[in-house]
Amino acid sequence: MEECISVFDMLKIGVGPSSSHTLGPWRAAERFLEELKNESILDRIKRVKVDLYGSLSLTGKGHATDLAVMLGLSGQDPEYIPVDNIAGIIKTIEDTNEIILGNAYKIPFYFLQDIVFNKEFLPFHANGLKFTAYQEDDSEYESTFYSIGGGFVVKEERENAKIKEVIKCAFPFPIQNAVELLNYTVSENKLISEIVYENEKSMRPEAEIHSELMRIWNTMLECMYIGCHTGGILPGGLHVRRRAFDMHQNLIGLSNYNSPQTWLEEIRKTEVKFRQILKWVSCFALAVNEVNASLGRVVTAPTNGSAGVIPAVLMYYLVIENHNAGEKEIKQFLMVAGEIGSIFKKGSTISAAMGGCQAEIGVSSSMAAAALCELMGGSPAQVLMAAEIAMEHHLGLTCDPIGGLVQIPCIERNTMGAIKAINAAELALETDSKNAKVPLDKVIDTMWQTAKDMNSKYKETSEGGLAIAVNMADC
């Protein structure tokens, strides 16, 4: 059996600004609480210390890693916490020097002392964090986690122990790479989305698949809606002005609507010249990542830093290409996108701390290109070609956020990934797949080799590129 990665693993609802630096540490804190409960010592803890390492330390402040850890230790769930409550919870911890561990046990917590930023890297992964719980009898319980991108969290022994405990499941169509996926579509005479759907049905009821896919889309739609209707300055000190609000006002005009869905219907009535299409796609992507930068609720797709690409491209299809499209096409798009993302995760990385921004924007663009290509009538071979084209033209993309914030160049970069995805899908649709020169699996291998060759200062450390060429004073 191959490792099982569901669509719902690749597309996760959470809080910004970063899947690897915010959602991952948050989930690690939750898992640490579970370990304390399983050891029956949660009620005997008198102090907790958290050590952040490598990229989590170097850009943790800008990515709200410290806040995520505190929220996780407090027992809050990133998928369901009202985002308006976050600031109040953090302020209470900072003002009282106390944290309610697991939302049950109040202990002292001095965040300036109990969250330690260590610049050194742990050998297993660039995003490491260690929790230490001190018990009443002065004994200690330690646990180390690694946030490997896209909100995925692992422990080192999962890879290195003599007896591996890898999560597996009995998919009817186990997929490790693009060739296997394509072979299934041929032997079963099915679309990629249909293969993915069969796999998902082996894990959960069809009604749940439907409801969860639509919940993901509705979260994406609401995120775009909020971003397009919120002006002002983004938090973090760079004084970045939100652009989606003004761009949206210029595009939408005097249209009347009162909900995300009626808003979508009004956009379908607007002008669709090439320039307007470019602006709309860019506006959707900007909106999502401005919400992400302000600790709003987004869908990790496959990461928070690249969360704008997939919703922007899907929205493009719904409001520009096919006004009759609905739930069927939305679910189809998300299933294809999720499967392509899982192949990248298995064969390379979706962590910018390991692979630079090619691992985030590049992968998201590839996911979106493939999904759009299938909706536009592409064959499975053309769908994989679209994914390949999109990634091929993101190879080597660095991750160099100014001030460690997921703002510059991250927000604009989502617009570029979305536009490239649409272009890649169109190129694939106009190409006989028999003439393809570069298989998707080769591009994934190349991406991983490029990631390993890339200097660490271009891997989400803010030690190279724009992060040092442009300083906070310039902004």
Side-chain angles (χ1 to χ4, degrees):
M1 293 188 294
E2 303 287 355
E3 183 177 0
C4 163
I5 298 180
S6 165
V7 170
F8 303 108
D9 294 323
M10 299 306 303
L11 305 174
K12 296 189 285 286
I13 298 171
V15 173
S18 170
S19 49
S20 60
H21 285 56
T22 315
L23 181 59
W26 194 325
R27 290 300 189 195
E30 289 182 314
R31 284 182 55 179
F32 181 62
L33 289 179
E34 284 300 313
E35 290 185 6
L36 296 180
K37 290 177 184 177
N38 293 337
E39 295 289 330
S40 300
I41 58 174
L42 182 61
D43 59 343
R44 300 204 298 270
I45 303 303
K46 65 177 183 179
R47 181 192 169 208
V48 172
K49 186 181 79 164
V50 185
D51 285 277
L52 305 176
Y53 295 93
S55 181
L56 289 185
S57 172
L58 292 167
T59 61
K61 286 286 185 182
H63 289 87
T65 304
D66 48 349
L67 308 187
V69 166
M70 288 190 277
L71 291 164
L73 290 174
S74 299
Q76 305 298 322
D77 188 324
E79 190 168 346
Y80 294 102
I81 182 176
V83 292
D84 292 340
N85 293 356
I86 290 176
I89 295 170
I90 295 299
K91 188 175 188 303
T92 298
I93 295 171
E94 294 178 347
D95 289 348
T96 63
N97 293 320
E98 292 178 330
I99 195 167
I100 304 177
L101 197 64
N103 204 28
Y105 304 100
K106 186 179 292 186
I107 63 170
F109 190 84
Y110 300 87
F111 73 98
L112 292 177
Q113 302 170 26
D114 292 333
I115 299 179
V116 182
F117 291 80
N118 303 280
K119 290 187 177 180
E120 64 266 26
F121 286 71
L122 298 181
F124 179 67
H125 193 279
N127 293 332
L129 66 166
K130 180 178 72 175
F131 295 87
T132 305
Y134 300 87
Q135 300 182 56
E136 293 171 349
D137 62 2
D138 292 328
S139 59
E140 301 176 7
Y141 180 89
E142 288 186 355
S143 194
T144 301
F145 298 88
Y146 299 89
S147 178
I148 62 172
F152 289 89
V153 177
V154 300
K155 305 197 75 169
E156 185 172 356
E157 57 264 28
R158 177 175 166 184
E159 294 289 337
N160 290 351
K162 291 181 180 178
I163 301 176
K164 294 183 180 180
E165 293 187 29
V166 180
I167 301 172
K168 294 185 177 182
C169 67
F171 271 176
F173 304 109
I175 298 161
Q176 186 67 21
N177 53 48
V179 168
E180 290 180 357
L181 174 58
L182 184 60
N183 288 341
Y184 286 132
T185 65
V186 174
S187 63
E188 301 297 320
N189 192 28
K190 291 181 182 292
L191 298 174
I192 288 175
S193 59
E194 293 172 330
I195 295 293
V196 177
Y197 189 53
E198 292 301 316
N199 281 344
E200 291 296 330
K201 286 196 297 183
S202 73
M203 299 180 67
R204 50 183 60 84
E206 293 184 61
E208 183 181 337
I209 296 171
H210 169 82
S211 64
E212 286 302 295
L213 285 173
M214 291 312 300
R215 187 165 74 96
I216 286 169
W217 165 244
N218 287 325
T219 302
M220 289 178 170
L221 180 60
E222 183 179 39
C223 184
M224 287 185 280
Y225 186 82
I226 291 170
C228 284
H229 295 83
T230 306
I233 305 297
L234 292 174
L238 291 179
H239 307 293
V240 174
R241 179 178 173 81
R242 290 176 180 259
R243 282 182 285 178
F245 179 84
D246 293 331
M247 186 179 290
H248 174 260
Q249 285 295 104
N250 291 332
L251 288 165
I252 199 71
L254 299 176
S255 298
N256 292 315
Y257 51 88
N258 56 16
S259 69
Q261 188 57 45
T262 56
W263 172 62
L264 186 155
E265 296 297 338
E266 286 299 312
I267 296 172
R268 283 175 165 170
K269 301 175 185 177
T270 61
E271 192 174 30
V272 289
K273 292 180 181 178
F274 182 66
R275 286 187 66 197
Q276 276 68 37
I277 294 172
L278 280 176
K279 289 177 183 179
W280 271 121
V281 174
S282 297
C283 183
F284 299 144
L286 288 174
V288 171
N289 286 84
E290 288 173 355
V291 170
N292 180 64
S294 55
L295 276 76
R297 175 153 285 119
V298 299
V299 176
T300 297
T303 68
N304 283 29
S306 60
V309 175
I310 286 173
V313 175
L314 178 49
M315 189 70 160
Y316 157 80
Y317 179 78
L318 296 173
V319 300
I320 303 295
E321 287 296 333
N322 185 359
H323 289 191
N324 295 317
E327 293 184 353
K328 173 182 176 294
E329 290 79 11
I330 290 167
K331 292 186 292 183
Q332 188 178 352
F333 186 101
L334 295 176
M335 285 190 287
V336 174
E339 184 58 46
I340 296 301
S342 75
I343 292 173
F344 271 97
K345 184 180 183 298
K346 293 168 185 171
S348 183
T349 180
I350 57 171
S351 166
M354 291 296 288
C357 204
Q358 61 175 354
E360 297 202 17
I361 295 295
V363 174
S364 65
S365 184
S366 189
M367 293 165 68
L372 179 63
C373 187
E374 180 169 303
L375 288 187
M376 301 281 277
S379 67
Q382 287 175 316
V383 169
L384 297 180
M385 183 189 297
E388 178 276 315
I389 293 171
M391 173 50 73
E392 184 179 333
H393 301 291
H394 281 95
L395 288 174
L397 187 61
T398 60
C399 181
D400 48 356
I402 297 173
L405 297 165
V406 191
Q407 296 182 18
I408 305 173
C410 320
I411 295 174
E412 279 184 359
R413 208 165 261 178
N414 278 262
T415 71
M416 301 300 164
I419 296 299
K420 283 186 181 181
I422 296 169
N423 193 17
E426 292 293 348
L427 287 172
L429 287 167
E430 294 299 321
T431 304
D432 186 336
S433 59
K434 294 178 182 177
N435 296 326
K437 300 297 183 183
V438 184
L440 177 56
D441 288 329
K442 290 292 184 182
V443 166
I444 294 174
D445 290 342
T446 302
M447 177 197 155
W448 181 230
Q449 291 304 318
T450 304
K452 290 190 287 186
D453 291 340
M454 189 181 289
N455 192 298
S456 63
K457 66 184 180 182
Y458 299 117
K459 297 181 181 180
E460 208 170 5
T461 60
S462 289
E463 294 181 326
L466 286 174
I468 61 168
V470 181
N471 57 44
M472 298 285 277
D474 292 319
C475 297

